[in-house]
Amino acid sequence: MASFDPDRISLPDGHYIHGRLVPGTGALAVSRPSDGKVYAMLPAADAGCVDAAVDSARRAFTSSDWARRPPRERARVMRRWADLIEADIDDLAALESLGSTRPIDQARAWDVPYTAEGIRFFAEFADKCGGEVAATASDHLGMQIAEPLGVVGAIAPWNFPLSMTCWKVAPALAAGNTVVLKPSEMTPFSAVRLAALAVEAGIPPGVFNVIQGSGPVTGEALCRHPGVAKVTFTGSTGTGRAIMHACADTGPKPVTLELGGKSPQLVFADVPDLDRTAQTLAAAITGNAGQVCVAGSRLLVERPLLAPLVERLQQRFATLEPGLTWHSGTRFSPLISAVQAERVETIVSRAREAGAELLAGGTRFETDMGGCFYRPTILQVGASDNPAVREEIFGPVLTIQTFDDEEEALGLAEHEIYGLAAGVHTADLGRALRAVRRLSAGTVWVNRYGRSNDYILPTGGYKRSGIGRDLGRAAFEANLQHKSVLIDLTP
């Protein structure tokens, strides 16, 4: 299945609690980004519904054998779950692309397989982190025992619904926890399908629950619930602060937060292949129409490269045409909503009023599709206090600043608020390593940009770009707590 009819897709419309779909009264309109059409009315979980989901997860934690199951058996069931996800690619990819910004070709080629393999990756940690024996006196035995936390509350964003759900749910379940997930109210349905496949694979009912609703109501109730032991979230820095506040008020309870970014890409004049570099830079800001937390949105270019690099970027941007996410062949995504499109337009307008020069784009595509498609945009900027440099835009808008030497480049790369990711493009290994050490970012890519399928590499931010790490061993260990034990061995 590639292209499909969006009006013929069956939707798992409701919450998923204790192994079954729980319908509710439609309260939230859900629109398709590609054409703006309202295609579903979503039930919104109030405090009572959140309580039911958390209670289901708590009962599953204490009464099912999930936390006590031999770790290799837990891993085996999760691998079966991953197999079912891959076998369900037609339905899952359609659900993903129907109501999100993910084109169907990309959902099939990357999102679904990435989700399945991510589950397999974390399943393999199930028996790898059990604790350790401590050095104590010879007549004592000291040890630390790793145990699951209990109920993990997870809140996933709308830009990559399936893969972000995997980031939150897979390490928590592999560690023996249970989960209550709130997907974005804009992209609610693929997570429900994932939860149903989990039960089909043999994960006990109640171990993975999904509740629908808005952040201010449902998300707030989930974060504040006393039965939730930890919260994990990906989204904006502002929402991350609100989640931390709620968790502090009702705990304190630990949080993992992957938040906003304004990631620089430093391009030095010695790059060996300018065409390849230009392709990398273009993909880093136009992928998912720039709606990526690690989007390489701030381009810092050594002055001699400015004109040839801009020319190459303009050429690549000119080839991108918008398309419906359910049509095979679509390469450029819509913005998630009219509200987001207006936000992008507002920041671009303010940036130009503050002195930015428009080199490409700067307007919406004129189409009859009904969705909001914004042209890939280049703004040449002088001052670093320009709104387009300071603020996360979450759209296909690239700022360009020039530098004359390495020290100036590193100074421009520094951002007072964000430190999520960065890119360095150079043929000089020493320069690359110096930059890696100096850049205030949780991830630095050299002569490439963007995440790979190396699940072992954790991701997270410096500064206000987050706390804790997703992916890697760090994500698994963040779902464990440790109990110290000291045994007296004297007769």
Side-chain angles (χ1 to χ4, degrees):
M1 180 179 182
S3 297
F4 63 92
D5 182 346
D7 295 320
R8 301 190 62 167
I9 300 299
S10 177
L11 302 174
D13 193 2
H15 315 291
Y16 196 84
I17 299 174
H18 210 73
R20 65 185 183 90
L21 192 66
V22 179
T25 303
L28 301 172
V30 188
S31 300
R32 302 190 300 225
S34 290
D35 62 5
K37 178 180 177 180
V38 174
Y39 72 105
M41 294 299 294
L42 192 69
D46 58 13
C49 184
V50 171
D51 189 63
V54 174
D55 181 65
S56 169
R58 291 179 72 177
R59 284 187 285 116
F61 184 72
T62 58
S63 301
S64 79
D65 69 341
W66 184 248
R68 301 184 302 276
R69 187 175 294 191
R72 295 303 300 171
E73 171 61 17
R74 203 159 57 231
R76 186 181 66 81
V77 174
M78 290 186 68
R79 290 196 299 270
R80 187 188 306 147
W81 182 25
D83 292 343
L84 291 176
I85 289 169
E86 286 183 333
D88 197 53
I89 190 169
D90 287 346
D91 289 343
L92 267 177
L95 280 175
E96 186 78 341
S97 62
L98 170 68
S100 79
T101 57
R102 306 296 300 139
I104 183 62
D105 290 347
Q106 295 175 28
R108 291 180 62 87
W110 189 81
D111 299 67
V112 175
Y114 179 90
T115 299
E117 192 61 21
I119 289 169
R120 293 190 185 101
F121 170 82
F122 282 111
E124 287 304 317
F125 270 106
D127 63 348
K128 305 298 189 297
C129 301
E132 61 181 20
V133 174
T136 62
S138 60
D139 58 350
H140 294 94
L141 176 62
M143 64 184 111
Q144 279 195 329
I145 300 173
E147 298 179 338
L149 293 162
V151 180
V152 173
I155 302 176
W158 50 260
N159 55 341
F160 293 91
L162 275 174
S163 58
M164 293 296 99
T165 294
C166 168
W167 282 20
K168 306 303 178 190
V169 174
L173 296 191
N177 299 282
T178 58
V179 173
V180 177
L181 168 78
K182 191 201 87 65
S184 170
E185 61 272 30
M186 292 188 280
T187 54
F189 297 118
S190 57
V192 178
R193 182 64 183 154
L194 276 186
L197 290 173
V199 172
E200 185 179 337
I203 294 177
V207 168
F208 179 16
N209 306 274
V210 179
I211 51 173
Q212 308 288 10
S214 68
V217 176
T218 308
E220 177 83 357
L222 179 61
C223 293
R224 290 185 173 276
H225 198 287
V228 171
K230 176 198 171 170
V231 173
T232 174
F233 166 76
T234 293
S236 72
T237 296
T239 303
R241 279 197 299 265
I243 286 172
M244 282 193 73
H245 191 287
C247 290
D249 277 352
T250 56
K253 62 186 73 168
V255 295
T256 296
L257 306 174
E258 194 209 27
L259 306 178
K262 195 69 188 173
S263 301
Q265 298 206 68
L266 288 66
V267 183
F268 291 90
D270 65 350
V271 289
D273 187 338
L274 189 57
D275 287 324
R276 179 177 180 272
T277 300
Q279 182 61 41
T280 299
L281 299 173
I285 192 62
T286 60
N288 211 35
Q291 298 164 116
V292 185
C293 55
V294 296
S297 57
R298 292 193 294 135
L299 182 55
L300 311 176
V301 184
E302 194 164 2
R303 198 175 301 276
L305 281 189
L306 177 63
L309 186 55
V310 167
E311 180 182 6
R312 285 165 171 78
L313 290 172
Q314 289 169 330
Q315 291 171 351
R316 282 162 176 78
F317 285 3
T319 67
L320 295 173
E321 293 292 335
L324 300 167
T325 53
W326 47 84
H327 280 182
S328 181
T330 291
R331 296 171 53 216
F332 189 70
S333 300
L335 296 178
I336 188 67
S337 67
V339 171
Q340 180 62 17
E342 290 166 6
R343 183 176 185 276
V344 173
E345 288 174 326
T346 298
I347 296 177
V348 170
S349 177
R350 288 169 48 221
R352 297 183 68 184
E353 290 171 2
E357 180 185 357
L358 184 67
L359 302 182
T363 61
R364 300 189 197 191
F365 283 98
E366 295 180 4
T367 76
D368 58 1
M369 288 182 283
C372 298
F373 297 86
Y374 198 81
R375 294 181 183 276
T377 296
I378 302 174
L379 295 170
Q380 186 171 353
V381 180
S384 292
D385 61 356
N386 188 285
V389 175
R390 287 180 52 82
E391 300 175 28
E392 185 178 35
I393 300 174
F394 231 61
V397 179
L398 180 67
T399 64
I400 295 183
Q401 296 173 276
T402 57
F403 62 84
D404 292 310
D405 57 40
E406 182 180 320
E407 194 64 27
E408 185 182 8
L410 293 168
L412 290 171
E414 191 71 18
H415 197 286
E416 65 178 352
I417 296 174
Y418 297 117
L420 190 56
V424 180
H425 304 269
T426 178
D428 186 332
L429 179 59
R431 173 186 286 147
L433 292 176
R434 288 193 299 272
V436 165
R437 288 186 178 276
R438 289 276 301 276
L439 289 165
S440 299
T443 297
V444 180
W445 291 293
V446 178
N447 293 329
R448 59 163 290 126
Y449 198 88
R451 294 189 177 106
S452 65
N453 288 359
D454 298 298
Y455 304 88
I456 192 61
L457 291 172
T459 183
Y462 284 16
K463 302 179 184 178
R464 300 183 205 174
S465 287
I467 293 176
R469 293 293 182 265
D470 287 310
L471 296 178
R473 183 187 183 105
F476 180 83
E477 291 182 336
N479 286 280
L480 295 169
Q481 56 190 341
H482 291 85
K483 179 181 294 179
S484 294
V485 179
L486 184 61
I487 302 173
D488 193 332
L489 303 179
T490 57

